[in-house]
Amino acid sequence: MSQSVNAKSVTRNVGWSVLSKTGTFGLKFVTVPILARLLTPEEFGGVAVALAVVQFLAMIGGAGLASALILEPREDEETIHSVFWANLALACLMAAGLYFWAEPLAGWFGAADAAYLLRLLCLLIPLQLAGDVAYALVARRMQFSRDALWSMISESVAAIAAVILALGGFGVWALVAQLFVAGIIRLAGLFFVSRYLPRLRFRTDSVVRLARFSLGLMGSEVANFVTFQSPMVVISRFLGLADAGAYSAANRFSSIPNQVVLSGVMGVLFPAFSAMVHDRQRRSQALMLSTQVTALLLAPMMFGLWALAEPAMLVLFGPQWAAAWPVLGLLALSKGLLTPCSTFIPYLKGSGHGGALFWWAVGRAVATTAAVAYGAHNGTLVEAMVALCLVNAVVLVGYSWVVFRADQTPFLSGFYRSIRPMLTAALMALMVRYALDHYLAGRFHPVLQVGLGIALGGLIYAALTLLTERPLLKKLADLVRRPKPVILADLP
């Protein structure tokens, strides 16, 4: 790494990453409901299924080589250029295969009408993988502050373009344009920030050496991808594109808090944990602090959305989506249950526990896919979401055991400390839900119900957090004020 890694440097870089995502939060908060009002569930479902296939192939095409670059002891130009051309060659092969096999793939996923979208979106594969090497250089140098502005610009311009096209009556092409505009601007930004320019150099032995290491990381990443994307595929296959569209719209909105916090946190924590691979004490301290902080930030958003899902769905998405409010609420609940696990993937990946990460990721992917498939095959979309919540509750306990065992942290104490913010948020959500059902629903317009619910939830959560997390809040304040690393071991 080009700079030393400590609690303050990690916090600073996480702050920049989160700031870039927070800058687009308000815009996405508006644009997702607008697009949902202007587009049909079938259009949402078609793009969502096609994008899931594209992202899966892009992940395989990259083969984890860029992630391996982050862990290299030094920046070797020939190795870097070799990885770029290997990525690009694999990306082009994947894109060509998807183009020619688009129709049978679309039919197998229960989305035969979306074959033309697969052919078009296959171009995203080389577009995404062309920037992997540049991002790896940014990550290993911990230069996330320089990347933050470009990330915010790409997402903002793409969202605005999508809304303009949707208002102009372009339908599904608004969603397609959003993906390509974001990808092109993001690629330009990565090359600008990293100062990387590809050159015609290729060394086979460097690619083979990195591939041997990266295959283990790729296996776990593929399994994690299946975990997150398999519900969309299963719902499309068993319940049709309309339900897939309802799931996609609710999932896109409920994922905004995760995109704001986790995309920034996880990108920084992987290189940070990698730098601490030989310092177990600092690594353990960073794990607990990052886990508590992400749960502290994310849990109230997700459980609060569960509490206010019914009026929020009507206000944000309109009457045509109002009946899908249980889907939004259950998705938020399922994500809320996993907020303490948000830092586990970068921890296992960066601390050298690739084997544990791989086998756990495979087991989780199988369990998630099976649970959602069972619910969808034997019931409705709501029952599939209930099954997702149940399997995520089991994942929370199992994943925590795997990580704390790898970290040599006593399970019960580590588990309690990590889920305490989540329990506080769950209590807050139950109180807000009770107030909504018994006092607010019959007296106020849905817009006021949402506003009052947010205000009430914020006050309750702030009071409960001051009662239960004062040592953590004090440590965070010290971390911001002090120029030197703080001692994290005495966190409760």
Side-chain angles (χ1 to χ4, degrees), residues 326-344:
V327 178
L328 177 62
L330 290 168
L331 271 171
L333 180 60
S334 70
K335 298 177 191 297
L337 288 169
L338 294 181
T339 50
C341 305
S342 303
T343 60
F344 291 174

Side-chain angles (χ1 to χ4, degrees), residues 116-185:
Y116 75 99
L117 290 173
L118 284 174
R119 288 198 172 97
L120 181 61
L121 295 184
C122 73
L123 297 175
L124 287 174
I125 300 176
L127 186 63
Q128 290 180 4
L129 290 184
D132 273 9
V133 167
Y135 180 78
L137 295 175
V138 171
R140 65 175 286 115
R141 297 167 186 169
M142 299 291 284
Q143 294 177 335
F144 294 96
S145 60
R146 300 180 185 179
D147 177 54
L149 178 61
W150 280 99
S151 178
M152 184 166 57
I153 290 173
S154 65
E155 294 292 339
S156 301
V157 173
I160 293 172
V163 171
I164 292 174
L165 290 173
L167 289 172
F170 286 89
V172 72
W173 299 107
L175 297 176
V176 173
Q178 182 179 20
L179 297 171
F180 278 98
V181 170
I184 292 170
I185 297 176

Side-chain angles (χ1 to χ4, degrees), residues 174-230:
L175 297 176
V176 173
Q178 182 179 20
L179 297 171
F180 278 98
V181 170
I184 292 170
I185 297 176
R186 179 70 175 141
L187 179 62
L190 284 172
F191 280 123
F192 178 80
V193 171
S194 66
R195 299 293 193 268
Y196 173 68
L197 288 176
R199 295 183 180 179
L200 289 173
R201 297 181 185 176
F202 190 84
R203 197 166 63 198
T204 304
D205 60 330
S206 295
V207 174
V208 172
R209 176 176 58 83
L210 291 179
R212 289 172 181 167
F213 171 80
S214 65
L215 285 176
L217 293 180
M218 186 190 70
S220 61
E221 288 178 357
V222 168
N224 283 319
F225 181 86
V226 171
T227 298
F228 298 126
Q229 295 294 337
S230 63

Side-chain angles (χ1 to χ4, degrees), residues 21-182:
K21 300 302 177 181
T22 304
T24 62
F25 174 82
L27 188 60
K28 283 189 174 184
F29 188 86
V30 174
T31 56
V32 172
I34 289 176
L35 291 173
R37 287 173 178 265
L38 297 174
L39 304 176
T40 66
E42 288 79 7
E43 289 172 328
F44 259 94
V47 172
V49 172
L51 186 59
V53 177
V54 166
Q55 289 176 336
F56 179 74
L57 293 178
M59 179 176 296
I60 296 176
L65 293 174
S67 296
L69 274 183
I70 297 176
L71 303 179
E72 284 285 275
R74 63 186 183 88
E75 293 183 12
D76 177 71
E77 284 194 12
E78 287 197 3
T79 301
I80 293 171
H81 295 315
S82 299
V83 170
F84 174 84
W85 293 115
N87 269 2
L88 192 58
L90 289 169
C92 292
L93 286 174
M94 291 288 182
L98 180 58
Y99 182 88
F100 288 110
W101 289 87
E103 289 189 6
L105 275 174
W108 189 84
F109 286 123
D113 293 338
Y116 75 99
L117 290 173
L118 284 174
R119 288 198 172 97
L120 181 61
L121 295 184
C122 73
L123 297 175
L124 287 174
I125 300 176
L127 186 63
Q128 290 180 4
L129 290 184
D132 273 9
V133 167
Y135 180 78
L137 295 175
V138 171
R140 65 175 286 115
R141 297 167 186 169
M142 299 291 284
Q143 294 177 335
F144 294 96
S145 60
R146 300 180 185 179
D147 177 54
L149 178 61
W150 280 99
S151 178
M152 184 166 57
I153 290 173
S154 65
E155 294 292 339
S156 301
V157 173
I160 293 172
V163 171
I164 292 174
L165 290 173
L167 289 172
F170 286 89
V172 72
W173 299 107
L175 297 176
V176 173
Q178 182 179 20
L179 297 171
F180 278 98
V181 170

